[in-house]
Amino acid sequence: MAELSVLGKRLPKVNSWAHLTGSAKYADDLFLPRMLYGRLLRSTQAHARITKLDVSRALAHPGVVAIVTGPDMPETIGIMPSVQDETALAIDRVRYVGEPVAAIAAIDEDTAFEAMSLIDVEYDPLPPILTIEDALREDLPKIHEKSRRANIFKEVHLSFGDLDAGFASADHMRDDWFFFEGNTHAPIESHSAVASFEGDGKLTIWTCTQVPHYLHRELEKALGLPRAKIRVVATPSGGGFGGKSDPFAHEFAACLLSMRTKRPVKITLDREEVFYAHRGRHPVKMRIKTGVKQDGEITAVHFQSWLDGGAYSSYGIATTYYTGALMTVTYRIPAYKFDGVRVYTNKPPCGPKRGHGTTQPRYALECQLDKIAVDLGFDALEYRKRILQPANSRTVNELRITSMGLGQCLDELGAKTKYSERHGQLPRGKGVGIAGSAYISGAGLPIYWNEMPHSGATVKLDRGGGVTVYCGTAEIGQGSDNMLASVAAECLGVRPEDVHVVSGDTSLAPVDLGSYSSRVTFMAGNAVKDAAWKLREWLLDAASERLAIPRECLVPADRRITDLRDPEQFVTFDDAVVLAEAKHGTLSAAGSYRPPQGIGGGYKGAGVGPSPAYSFQASVAEVSVDLETGVVTVDRITTAHDCGRALSPANVEGQIEGSAYMGYGEIMGEEQVFRGGLHKKPSLLDYKIPTSLDTPELEAIIVETIDKEGPFGAKEAGEGPLNSVIPAIANAVYDAIGVRFDETPITADKVLAALGKRDNRGMPKDRIGPEGMGDGQEAANAALRRLSFTTEAREKKKANA
Amino acid sequence: MTKQLLTLNVNGESRTVAAEPHHTLLEVLREELQLTGTKHGCELGECGACTVLVDGVAVLSCLTLPMQVGDAIVTTVEGLADAGAGAPGREARKLHPLQTAFAEEGAAQCGYCTPGMLMSAKALLDGNPSPTRDDMAQAISGNLCRCTGYTAIYEAIDSAARMARGG
Ligand code: FES
Ligand code: FES
C-alpha cells in the first residue's frame, strides 16, 4: 500500500474546534421554543411495594403541565431483549433507592422540583437484600419473581479441555480469592435528554446516549409508537465510559411527556441522580485455582465469579460471561473451567463500565500470576513473555486470535521502565509492579440476534468537492467523528477537516450498533472505508480516463489524484468529482461491516468473547507507600498498548492515558458503596475521582501490529489499557511493602491495618482480601455449597447423556 | 419568584436580562444569555466545569450570584477568542493560543470539562506566563476531567504558554 497521507499523522480532531469555542451542543445546551422541564421522582426505599401513588396534588400545582407514572408505560424494557426485567418507571414495586417512580413536566425546573414533594407516594417496605451472600440465601424474599433459585439472575458454567488432568499434571498450585469493589463512571456531563413530539406525529429525542440504535428499539416498545416515527439523535456526549449505554427512565419519560403535552420536554439529571442511575462496575467476588509446571507453564485454570448485579439485568448476561471469557486470550491455558453467578440486590443496577466484566477477573489473574512468579522465583515480566498465547491461534475456549502484540508491549515496557532491574531492589516503601491484559475490538455478536451489518456508513460527494460521511456512531469523546472523517479522507485523498460528519442520527445515518465494547474504530472504520473505497474507484477511473494514465499509477492525496511516477500529472479532487458525477450520476456509496463467521465456538454461551481482533496491553506502575500514614502514592504509570495501527496517534495516547487514569481511580479509592441501600458518596466531593493533584504521571507507548482485518490495520484503544493498570498497582504495592491487596480499593486505612499500625494491638498482615464466600455467614456458605453441588450434578448428567 | 432586571458585562458586551434573583451566574449565562459554552457537572462547586473569569479571576459560576458580579467583566469560553468577531473589515476571529494548543495536543476528548479548563488555564497564564507542571496542576486542581488523565492538558497549557511568549 502506498504511504498513508492522513492516518498516523498528528492532526487536531475535526470536532475540536466546537469543543474549544463553546459551540458544541450537548443535550442540555438545547433550548427549544415552548420547552418544558422535567424531573423524576425517585424511590426513597431500597425494596418496597408501592401502596399509594397519587399525583393529583402535584398536577394541580400551578405551572405543572403533565405527570406520568409507571402504568403509563407498562411494557418491560431493557438493553438485552432476552432478559428484560424493568419498566420505564417503577410499577407497584421499587427495588432500589433512586428508582424512578414518576416524572413531572412543568414550565420551569423550579416548579417541577417543588411539585415533586406534592406527589403522594406510600411504600410498604420489604427486607432489602444488599450483599452477594444474602442474595444467595433461599429464605429471603425474591427481588424478581422470575429468579428460579434465591436471588440469582444468571448462572453460567463452561468447561474446556481436561481440567482434572491439567491440575493432576501441575507441579505447583495456587488457590486465591479476590474481591473487586464496585465503582461508577462519573462522566462530568450528567445524563440529559430533550424530546419533541411534533404535529406530524413524529417524535425526535436528542440525548447523550452511547447506543442510539438500541434506544430507538426500546422507545418503540415502551411508547407504542412505530420506530419509523421516532428519530433518535445522539448528541455529543460529555463522557460515557459505558454509563450511557442503557435506555434510561428520563429518556422514556421525556418522550411520553412530550407526546402528552405536544411540547418539547427536557430532563437533565442532577449529580446525585447520576450516581443512582449508575449501571457501572459490578462488585465481584472471585476465586482462581491455577496449576503450573515447574517452568511456569499453566496446566489448568478454574475461575469462579460472583457478581453483585444490583436491582435489574442491564447488560448482566454479557457481564457475567465476560468475567470468564477473556481470561484465555493473553496466556496459554490448555484447560479452563469457568463458573459465573450474577445476583440481584437492592442497589442501583450495575452494567458496563470501560473494560466491561473483564476488569475484575483480569485484576485477579494478573495478581495471581505475580504470586506464581514469586513462588517460582521468576521475573514477572519475563515470565509473562514465556507463556504468551501466540498470534494467529485459537484459545481453549475457541476464540480466534489474530494479531497479538503483548510480547512487544512487555519488551517496550521493560526497556522504558527497567522493571526487571528494579523489581525487588527498591528500598522498603518503594515498589514497581507489572501486569498485562487484553480487550475486544467490538463484540462478535449484536445485542439482539440478527444477520444485518453491525455498522453501516454512506459517503456522499458533492459538486463543490465536499465530502459528507453519514454513520450511526455515537461520539462520546473517544474521537469517533474524527475517525470517520480521517478514514474517509484517507480513502479519497482529501483532508479530514474537509469532511462533514453526520453521526448518531437514526433518521439520517445508517445503523451503527453504538459506542460500546470498543467496536467503533474497527467496525464503523471498516464500514466507512468500504463506502469511501467505492467512490475512490470511480474517481480513479475518471482521472485515469482524463489523463490517459493507467489507474494503477494514480494515487489520491492532498485533494489531487496524481501520477505516482510524475507529480506534474494530476487531476484535482474537485475536477475528478465532476467527471465522475457526469459519468455515474450522483456520487454516493454505502458500505457496511459485519464480523466474520467462525471467530468463536458453537457452544451455549459462546456468543460473548469472540471479537474480530483483540487489543493487548501491559502496564508498569511505580508506587511509594508512606509507612507511617499508610498513604500510597502512585508516582508513575507506563502503559504500552497494541492498537493494531494508530489511526490518530494523539487520540490513541489520549485513550491510553485516560484509561490509566480511570484505572488508577478505581484501585486507589473510588467506591460505589451503600449503607442500607443509600449511596454513601453520591457527590463529586465524596466520590473521589482523581484531580490533577492526585493523578500520577502517565506515559503511553503505542505498539503497532497492523491487524489484517482492522481498518488500515487498527484495533481498539479505548478500554483495554484500563485493565492492566489496576493489577500493576496492586503488584507494585506488594513490591513496596510485601502486602498482597486481593481486594480493591487500596486505601490508607487498609494499608495501615496491614502494617499493624492502625491501633496498638495491630498485627502485621501479608494480605488484605476475602478468605472465601460469606465471610463466616453459615447460611450463605450453605447456599453456595448447594449451588456448586447442583451445578456439578447437572454437568455430570450432561456428560453421561 | 419575580424576575429582576440585571446588567452584566459579558465578553465585551453589556447585556441586560431579567432573571430570578436566586438564580446563579451559571443559570443566567446559559439560560438567559444563551451562552451555553459554560457547562455544569454538579452545580455544587465540586467539578469546575462552570468556571468563568470575573475580572480575570477564575470563579465557579454555579456558586456565584449575578448580584455579586456587579459591573465586573465576565469572560466565558465564547469570549476567549479575539473579540470583535465578525465585525466588518475584521479578519476572522483569532483563536486564543490555549484553544489552538488544546486542539493540537488532543487535550479535549469529550470536551465537556474543556470550557472550564480553558478559563482556569487562562487565569493561570495571565498571571504566570511560564508556569511549571506544579503550577499547572494547582491551577486546574478544581477542574475535574474524567477523560484525559490531565497529561495532554498540561502539554497544551505548556505549548500555549510558549506560543504566547512567541516561542
Ligand atoms: S457546576 Fe460548578 S463546580 Fe460543578
Ligand atoms: S475531556 Fe471529557 S471531561 Fe475532560
Side-chain angles (χ1 to χ4, degrees):
Chain A
M1 187 184 294
E3 213 178 295
L4 300 176
S5 63
V6 171
L7 301 173
K9 303 258 181 324
R10 288 182 183 269
L11 303 170
K13 281 198 299 184
V14 294
N15 48 345
S16 305
W17 309 109
H19 291 149
L20 292 164
T21 55
S23 63
K25 289 275 171 283
Y26 299 83
D28 193 53
D29 298 338
L30 302 175
F31 293 87
L32 302 182
R34 300 178 66 241
M35 187 170 84
L36 300 171
Y37 294 79
R39 278 206 67 109
L40 301 176
L41 179 77
R42 292 174 181 270
S43 166
T44 54
Q45 301 287 317
H47 196 189
R49 269 180 245 291
I50 302 171
T51 51
K52 180 180 171 196
L53 180 57
D54 180 354
V55 301
S56 51
R57 281 201 307 146
L59 210 44
H61 187 64
V64 171
V65 183
I67 298 180
V68 293
T69 62
D72 291 314
M73 289 179 278
E75 287 291 330
T76 55
I77 47 101
I79 189 73
M80 309 282 279
S82 59
V83 288
Q84 295 187 331
D85 57 6
E86 50 187 319
T87 48
L89 299 167
I91 299 176
D92 296 338
R93 184 149 167 194
V94 287
R95 296 179 171 89
Y96 66 96
V97 172
E99 179 164 2
V101 169
I104 300 175
I107 51 166
D108 57 36
E109 262 191 302
D110 292 355
T111 308
F113 192 78
E114 284 158 21
M116 289 211 298
S117 59
L118 300 174
I119 294 181
D120 297 307
V121 50
E122 283 172 17
Y123 298 104
D124 178 15
L126 295 161
I129 290 155
L130 298 167
T131 63
I132 297 172
E133 286 78 5
D134 277 351
L136 292 170
R137 287 171 54 174
E138 309 233 21
D139 56 339
L140 293 175
K142 285 196 193 308
I143 298 173
H144 291 273
E145 296 308 328
K146 271 197 283 189
S147 289
R148 268 186 291 160
R149 273 187 300 157
N151 274 298
I152 292 173
F153 158 73
K154 180 76 188 171
E155 190 185 328
V156 303
H157 305 281
L158 296 170
S159 192
F160 310 94
D162 191 338
L163 201 79
D164 294 341
F167 282 132
S169 69
D171 299 320
H172 178 64
M173 293 279 297
R174 280 216 69 103
D175 185 353
D176 295 297
W177 284 84
F178 295 90
F179 176 65
F180 198 104
E181 184 55 276
N183 55 60
T184 198
H185 322 83
I188 306 300
E189 178 204 34
S190 57
H191 307 52
S192 178
V194 179
S196 182
F197 186 70
E198 301 288 329
D200 58 2
K202 293 204 178 88
L203 173 75
T204 302
I205 176 169
W206 294 265
T207 173
C208 55
T209 182
Q210 296 179 231
V211 288
H213 172 64
Y214 294 143
L215 176 63
H216 201 197
R217 290 165 48 87
E218 295 311 302
L219 287 173
E220 172 178 62
K221 198 171 177 212
L223 302 170
L225 191 66
R227 225 186 302 168
K229 291 200 183 293
I230 304 175
R231 175 183 177 201
V232 178
V233 183
T235 50
S237 182
F241 318 113
K244 294 168 180 169
S245 38
D246 279 68
F248 283 98
H250 69 279
E251 296 173 317
F252 297 105
C255 288
L256 188 61
L257 286 167
S258 178
M259 290 165 72
R260 295 266 168 99
T261 60
K262 311 281 186 288
R263 293 172 70 170
V265 175
K266 177 194 278 186
I267 303 182
T268 300
L269 304 193
D270 67 29
R271 181 49 58 180
E272 188 174 6
E273 291 181 282
V274 175
F275 280 96
Y276 283 101
H278 189 42
R279 316 269 164 166
R281 185 87 69 222
H282 287 66
V284 185
K285 222 165 228 192
M286 296 166 284
R287 178 185 192 176
I288 317 190
K289 246 165 82 180
T290 299
V292 291
K293 295 297 252 187
Q294 206 50 53
D295 64 359
E297 190 72 32
I298 296 169
T299 60
V301 174
H302 182 193
F303 175 70
Q304 291 168 283
S305 62
W306 291 267
L307 296 83
D308 180 348
Y312 291 100
S313 60
S314 179
Y315 285 78
I317 287 201
T319 322
T320 310
Y321 278 113
Y322 270 128
T323 61
L326 298 197
M327 296 293 262
T328 55
V329 305
T330 41
Y331 313 109
R332 292 188 294 275
I333 298 177
Y336 177 56
K337 184 168 191 296
F338 162 53
D339 302 303
V341 176
R342 182 182 186 266
V343 297
Y344 286 124
T345 54
N346 291 113
K347 293 182 284 191
C350 295
K353 184 183 171 196
R354 206 173 202 168
H356 189 194
T358 70
T359 303
Q360 304 94 326
R362 179 53 58 181
Y363 154 76
L365 178 66
E366 297 289 328
C367 288
Q368 191 183 54
L369 279 182
D370 206 65
K371 298 181 190 191
I372 292 173
V374 170
D375 293 349
L376 300 181
F378 297 153
D379 174 272
L381 187 153
E382 289 302 322
Y383 175 40
R384 283 178 171 80
K385 270 177 60 186
R386 281 216 311 273
I387 57 171
L388 291 178
Q389 175 73 23
N392 303 312
S393 64
R394 286 270 170 178
T395 66
V396 70
N397 55 342
E398 296 178 55
L399 302 177
R400 184 194 70 163
I401 307 293
T402 53
S403 55
M404 201 288 189
L406 184 51
Q408 285 119 286
C409 291
L410 290 165
D411 284 338
E412 295 265 355
L413 269 184
K416 183 89 193 180
T417 66
K418 301 272 172 287
Y419 169 84
S420 300
E421 291 84 330
R422 291 161 69 208
H423 182 257
Q425 305 297 323
L426 300 172
R428 184 163 163 80
K430 292 263 179 202
V432 39
I434 193 164
S437 67
Y439 200 63
I440 52 176
S441 302
L445 290 181
I447 274 170
Y448 64 101
W449 171 245
N450 73 83
E451 297 197 326
M452 292 177 282
H454 289 216
S455 194
T458 50
V459 179
K460 189 202 85 170
L461 306 182
D462 68 59
R463 293 176 183 188
V467 178
T468 308
V469 173
Y470 303 83
C471 182
T473 48
E475 169 63 65
I476 60 168
Q478 85 280 45
S480 59
D481 281 0
N482 187 63
M483 184 280 296
L484 295 171
S486 303
V487 170
E490 182 67 55
C491 297
L492 296 168
V494 298
R495 294 175 296 257
E497 68 264 29
D498 298 339
V499 179
H500 298 268
V501 177
V502 177
S503 61
D505 187 319
T506 59
S507 289
L508 299 184
V511 166
D512 173 85
L513 294 179
S515 290
Y516 66 97
S517 83
S518 272
R519 50 177 299 290
V520 170
T521 292
F522 202 99
M523 302 198 185
N526 271 322
V528 69
K529 182 177 175 218
D530 184 23
W533 209 265
K534 292 173 185 165
L535 296 172
R536 173 190 168 109
E537 301 285 312
W538 286 350
L539 296 177
L540 286 176
D541 278 348
S544 164
E545 209 165 284
R546 162 62 53 98
L547 296 169
I549 291 173
R551 38 171 296 168
E552 307 79 69
C553 300
L554 295 173
V555 298
D558 299 323
R559 296 196 76 92
R560 285 178 175 187
I561 297 175
T562 311
D563 185 349
L564 268 174
R565 304 156 308 180
D566 175 6
E568 293 307 306
Q569 296 292 317
F570 65 85
V571 178
T572 65
F573 177 76
D574 297 14
D575 288 346
V577 168
V578 170
L579 293 168
E581 185 171 339
K583 192 163 162 201
H584 296 283
T586 300
L587 296 179
S588 171
S592 52
Y593 177 78
R594 196 180 159 213
Q597 303 285 304
I599 57 175
Y603 51 90
K604 184 171 186 310
V608 177
S611 174
Y614 299 87
S615 75
F616 295 90
Q617 53 284 138
S619 300
V620 166
E622 299 163 49
V623 306
S624 306
V625 181
D626 185 319
L627 301 173
E628 294 310 313
T629 62
V631 171
V632 177
T633 307
V634 179
D635 302 311
R636 177 191 284 265
I637 301 169
T638 311
T639 301
H641 173 77
D642 160 22
C643 64
R645 182 198 291 277
L647 300 183
S648 163
N651 270 8
V652 172
E653 286 164 5
Q655 288 301 313
I656 298 173
E657 289 158 7
S659 294
Y661 161 85
M662 197 165 260
Y664 161 79
E666 291 196 15
I667 186 166
M668 296 316 296
E670 293 184 28
E671 312 177 274
Q672 174 92 344
V673 283
F674 299 84
R675 187 183 289 120
L678 268 184
H679 200 302
K680 282 193 197 171
K681 319 174 160 182
S683 77
L684 292 174
L685 201 60
D686 296 314
Y687 182 93
K688 295 209 183 309
I689 83 174
T691 70
S692 57
L693 297 175
D694 306 316
T695 305
E697 249 183 79
L698 305 172
E699 194 147 345
I701 301 172
I702 293 176
V703 168
E704 297 196 312
T705 50
I706 316 298
D707 186 81
K708 65 180 191 300
E709 293 177 18
F712 296 94
K715 303 192 284 189
E716 80 94 26
E719 303 191 58
L722 179 144
N723 284 351
S724 51
V725 166
I726 294 169
I729 292 175
N731 292 339
V733 170
Y734 174 75
D735 189 39
I737 56 171
V739 179
R740 287 291 177 192
F741 272 86
D742 293 344
E743 72 174 40
T744 70
I746 302 177
T747 58
D749 215 36
K750 292 183 193 173
V751 172
L752 271 191
L755 295 172
K757 289 188 179 163
R758 201 158 62 173
D759 54 42
N760 295 334
R761 286 161 299 148
M763 290 284 285
K765 298 186 187 126
D766 59 3
R767 175 177 180 271
I768 301 284
E771 302 293 338
M773 278 302 283
D775 294 330
Q777 295 178 39
E778 208 21 60
N781 279 330
L784 195 75
R785 275 198 299 275
R786 267 198 307 282
L787 188 68
S788 44
F789 179 74
T790 50
T791 304
E792 275 162 28
R794 207 168 344 135
E795 284 189 353
K796 283 223 181 72
K797 212 162 86 194
K798 232 190 312 169
N800 294 339
Chain B
M1 210 171 280
T2 42
K3 293 192 171 187
Q4 292 177 7
L5 283 185
L6 175 78
T7 300
L8 284 171
N9 184 343
V10 186
N11 299 334
E13 291 171 8
S14 173
R15 302 284 303 270
T16 301
V17 292
E20 298 186 36
H22 69 284
H23 278 192
T24 62
L25 178 59
L26 171 73
E27 289 169 298
V28 171
L29 288 172
R30 287 178 53 82
E31 291 164 25
E32 313 297 343
L33 291 168
Q34 288 83 46
L35 291 168
T36 53
T38 302
K39 303 302 180 203
H40 59 85
C42 65
E43 300 189 64
L44 294 166
E46 297 168 354
C47 73
C50 64
T51 307
V52 299
L53 300 185
V54 175
D55 277 346
V57 178
V59 303
L60 299 175
S61 63
C62 75
L63 297 186
T64 305
L65 289 175
M67 304 298 180
Q68 300 167 276
V69 175
D71 53 11
I73 292 168
V74 179
T75 311
T76 70
V77 67
E78 290 93 341
L80 189 54
D82 194 13
R90 296 280 298 262
E91 57 179 276
R93 292 217 301 183
K94 231 172 109 223
L95 292 175
H96 189 278
L98 278 166
Q99 290 169 308
T100 310
F102 266 59
E104 285 174 353
E105 300 294 336
Q109 285 188 21
C110 77
Y112 201 78
C113 70
T114 307
M117 203 61 91
L118 286 168
M119 300 326 278
S120 290
K122 176 169 163 42
L124 169 71
L125 292 187
D126 287 350
N128 177 359
S130 307
T132 62
R133 179 64 67 102
D134 281 348
D135 296 335
M136 294 184 228
Q138 284 292 347
I140 61 165
S141 61
N143 295 82
L144 295 176
C145 173
R146 195 58 165 161
C147 298
T148 61
Y150 307 103
T151 311
I153 295 175
Y154 296 138
E155 280 158 11
I157 298 176
D158 199 46
S159 148
R162 272 182 283 115
M163 258 185 255
R165 294 197 305 266

